Amino acid sequence: MFLGFDFSTQQVKVVVIDQNLNVVHQNNVQFDSELPEFRTEGGVHLHSDRLTVTSPVLMWVKALDLLLDKMKGAGFDFSQVRALSGSGQQHGSVYWRKGAARTLNELDPERPLHHLLQDSFSVSDSPVWMDSSSTQQCQYLQAAVGGSLKLAEITGSTAYERFTGNQIAKLRQKRPVEFQDTERISLVSSFAASLFLGDYAAIDYSDGSGMNLLDIRSRDWSEVCLEATAPGLDQLLGTPQPSSSVLGAVSSYFVQRYGFSKSCRVVTFTGDNPASLAGMRLSDGDVAVSLGTSDTVFLWLQKPRPALEGHVLCNPVDWRAFMALLCFKNGSLTRERIRNERTGGSWELFSLALRETPLGNHGYIGFYFDVMEITPPAVGVHRFDANDSEVSSVSAQVEVRALVEGQFLSRRLHAERLGYSIIPGTRVLATGGASSNTDILQVLADVFNARVYTIDVSDSACLGSAYRALHGLTAESGHSFFDAVKKAPEPRLVTTPNVTAKEVNTHTHTHTHR
């Protein structure tokens, strides 16, 4: 068996697969309801400045105790586990106190982890991805490396408040005593791996590229970024490792307390987004579009062009390749607003409007930013006719298509800016709530001029981690990730593009670029 853990914002969960990739066990611990003593809301503490957002690191440790106890209670046989891996919410950081390595090495199997490690962290509340309190440090880092585009070229992203480097810089300035008392800094992913390993686990290339510190091409820390963040920081971070590395055997603590086999291997943990890419089994040239509250686009890239928008990360399943991530806030909620206002709250009428309007919408297009968008940073609703003139209103049917085509054109345009190109055979994998609507997916197929598949990935980060645990065992002998997961169920083909999609797209594309 192979275990995949996910330490996400609101819960820690596990998926277990057998060697044929069948899911044989799942379990989870919800932070707010099952660990109420930490008083989190949505797994976090929102501080009074409304910018600082943290999570108690001991809550994550105690949640793991609880999760493994639940599995034991369900009669799960840990001795059958050959390897485990996991993922963590990206951009969170954990600060180990001086002497914590020794504690990790000498854990007493009679006692739960959260008792043993209660004095092992110099900072008890970890900054997480929702934190946006490090603007000053972002500006400093960008200036130090020669501007935002230069930083994106080195690290794959411009400076973001939530990125770990900027959080470390802020901590060093604002809390120098705690910083001085720190002997190792982990990401949430490598912290979780450290618990299983009984030693500090390396940060992997993929999650490491969400820190504004890793040079995504050399796959090592960038000197100029380290220097601008904290002198001697490389000592605190350790050496980054490929995402498929086997870090070692599981700690004797887990062998004695839960009955793990001594030969069970711990494979590098990674970030939740890279783990999802593995869970979706995205391969070279594919694009995955998650249609949820916000829309996320995942790309597999060979030759990235980092830009001022979006993120380029090292690829978690093939260390020579890259992945990109684009996030759009105006996703399902905007689609629901137009459904409510123009089709009386009915998805059936919304779908009918898409079926009854032509591809290209007679030149009408709209950009609907109900809330401040991330990519691009804009707000407001703008509708244009075939002559590029802004219009204040259009018919209900035209509006529905203008919204959906406009959203998907924006997804495609920003993907191409990061170096993605659609080639014959490109697959678009659709997931998330709106992926159940075939008419919305038909527009997606037409705009990308590619076949659209759906894939059931309710726990893609967990599943991806279990797949990566399996791959880790064979990676050293040259087996690819895709050899390891060839027995997994194939995505389902839902729709193919209309024959006229290519010409209409070429015309609309120039329109959108302007």
Side-chain angles (χ1 to χ4, degrees):
M1 307 229 220
F2 301 88
L3 302 189
F5 291 90
D6 180 34
F7 285 71
S8 69
T9 315
Q10 303 191 28
Q11 61 179 330
V12 58
K13 54 187 171 186
V14 65
V15 163
V16 185
I17 59 169
D18 63 18
Q19 67 232 31
N20 296 318
L21 277 57
N22 300 311
V23 173
V24 293
H25 182 85
Q26 296 184 60
N27 228 313
N28 69 80
V29 170
Q30 300 286 333
F31 301 144
D32 293 3
S33 57
E34 296 183 65
L35 295 166
E37 64 272 30
F38 292 100
R39 300 194 170 152
T40 54
E41 277 183 50
V44 300
H45 291 149
L46 178 59
H47 295 240
S48 55
D49 63 359
R50 315 292 296 170
L51 298 173
T52 307
V53 185
T54 59
S55 290
V57 65
L58 277 172
M59 175 179 78
W60 297 332
V61 178
K62 192 167 183 182
L64 179 61
D65 284 328
L66 202 52
L67 182 65
L68 294 170
D69 288 344
K70 278 188 179 188
M71 291 172 77
K72 197 173 175 175
F76 182 77
D77 182 0
F78 289 100
S79 71
Q80 298 298 305
V81 179
R82 289 194 55 203
L84 63 90
S85 187
S87 62
Q89 51 170 306
Q90 287 200 260
H91 319 301
S93 45
V94 173
Y95 301 81
W96 298 89
R97 176 174 279 150
K98 286 179 176 162
R102 205 171 65 242
T103 308
L104 273 174
N105 292 165
E106 299 167 354
L107 296 169
D108 170 9
E110 295 299 312
R111 298 172 62 204
L113 281 174
H114 71 278
H115 284 170
L116 298 166
L117 296 174
Q118 60 188 352
D119 300 319
S120 292
F121 304 101
S122 53
V123 175
S124 58
D125 271 297
S126 289
V128 293
W129 64 274
M130 296 158 79
D131 187 284
S132 54
S133 64
S134 62
T135 309
Q136 202 183 333
Q137 289 75 21
C138 288
Q139 290 163 348
Y140 181 80
L141 177 64
Q142 283 184 169
V145 303
S148 49
L149 191 57
K150 183 72 185 142
L151 184 65
E153 281 165 5
I154 299 169
T155 69
S157 302
T158 59
Y160 284 88
E161 278 87 357
R162 64 183 180 277
F163 275 38
T164 323
N166 308 307
Q167 293 289 344
I168 292 170
K170 179 191 152 200
L171 192 94
R172 180 175 79 97
Q173 291 156 22
K174 300 271 197 300
R175 299 170 69 180
V177 176
E178 288 98 323
F179 190 80
Q180 282 301 314
D181 193 25
T182 301
E183 75 178 12
R184 183 70 170 237
I185 299 173
S186 294
L187 296 179
V188 177
S189 57
S190 62
F191 144 80
S194 304
L195 298 177
F196 285 104
L197 198 60
D199 203 351
Y200 293 142
I203 290 173
D204 79 297
Y205 295 161
S206 201
D207 204 7
S209 39
M211 298 171 72
N212 278 146
L213 292 175
L214 189 86
D215 181 323
I216 57 169
R217 289 183 174 81
S218 72
R219 297 174 180 80
D220 202 351
W221 305 120
S222 152
E223 288 297 328
V224 59
C225 295
L226 288 181
E227 203 45 50
T229 304
L233 184 55
D234 54 339
Q235 297 298 307
L236 294 175
L237 295 173
T239 309
Q241 295 282 335
S243 307
S244 59
S245 305
V246 174
L247 296 169
V250 71
S251 141
S252 63
Y253 173 87
F254 294 94
V255 175
Q256 293 169 45
R257 189 173 175 87
Y258 295 103
F260 275 88
S261 153
K262 280 182 185 157
S263 61
C264 172
R265 295 285 174 244
V266 178
V267 175
T268 324
F269 284 38
T270 190
D272 52 3
N273 288 307
S276 288
L277 178 125
M280 292 188 271
R281 304 188 313 285
L282 217 62
S283 59
D284 191 1
D286 287 346
V287 54
V289 183
S290 169
L291 301 168
T293 308
S294 57
D295 288 352
T296 310
V297 176
F298 291 87
L299 309 163
W300 178 294
L301 291 177
Q302 291 297 353
K303 295 196 170 91
R305 287 197 302 265
L308 295 176
E309 289 155 359
H311 311 290
V312 175
L313 308 173
C314 296
N315 192 304
V317 301
D318 176 354
W319 68 269
R320 292 163 303 231
F322 297 88
M323 66 174 278
L325 201 63
L326 286 157
C327 197
F328 303 86
K329 275 189 191 166
N330 293 278
S332 286
L333 297 179
T334 311
R335 290 186 284 271
E336 284 165 17
R337 176 178 70 80
I338 296 293
R339 175 204 65 184
N340 293 343
E341 289 175 10
R342 305 306 309 254
T343 61
S346 155
W347 280 124
E348 277 157 37
L349 291 174
F350 187 95
S351 293
L352 187 66
L354 292 175
R355 287 198 296 276
E356 291 187 346
T357 44
L359 179 58
N361 211 16
H362 300 302
Y364 282 93
I365 191 163
F367 302 99
Y368 297 78
F369 305 123
D370 289 5
V371 297
M372 183 54 142
E373 190 45 273
I374 301 168
T375 317
V379 70
V381 172
H382 307 278
R383 304 173 190 85
F384 297 90
D385 64 15
N387 304 316
D388 269 355
S389 306
E390 189 151 1
V391 290
S392 57
S393 67
V394 292
S395 74
Q397 287 199 322
V398 166
E399 179 124 70
V400 168
R401 181 169 280 276
L403 163 73
V404 180
E405 276 188 350
Q407 285 187 326
F408 292 154
L409 272 162
S410 165
R411 313 300 180 250
R412 176 174 170 174
L413 183 74
H414 288 288
E416 288 175 342
R417 283 188 180 161
L418 287 173
Y420 178 76
S421 52
I422 291 166
I423 49 169
T426 289
R427 298 187 307 171
V428 178
L429 304 179
T431 72
S435 67
S436 58
N437 184 318
T438 321
D439 297 289
I440 289 178
L441 295 188
Q442 184 61 53
V443 179
L444 182 61
D446 291 337
V447 168
F448 276 80
N449 194 31
R451 295 188 309 249
V452 172
Y453 296 77
T454 53
I455 182 163
D456 172 33
V457 285
S458 43
D459 281 319
S460 60
C462 265
L463 196 56
S465 297
Y467 289 164
R468 290 177 49 260
L470 172 63
H471 175 225
L473 291 188
T474 59
E476 286 170 344
S477 48
H479 286 271
S480 80
F481 176 76
F482 299 101
D483 294 335
V485 298
K486 56 179 182 279
K487 291 181 180 165
E490 279 302 308
R492 191 172 61 87
L493 177 64
V494 181
T495 180
T496 53
N498 279 304
V499 283
T500 56
K502 197 171 164 118
E503 302 119 69
V504 178
N505 265 329
T506 314
H507 171 72
T508 323
H509 228 75
T510 30
H511 199 70
T512 329
H513 265 287
R514 289 210 294 281

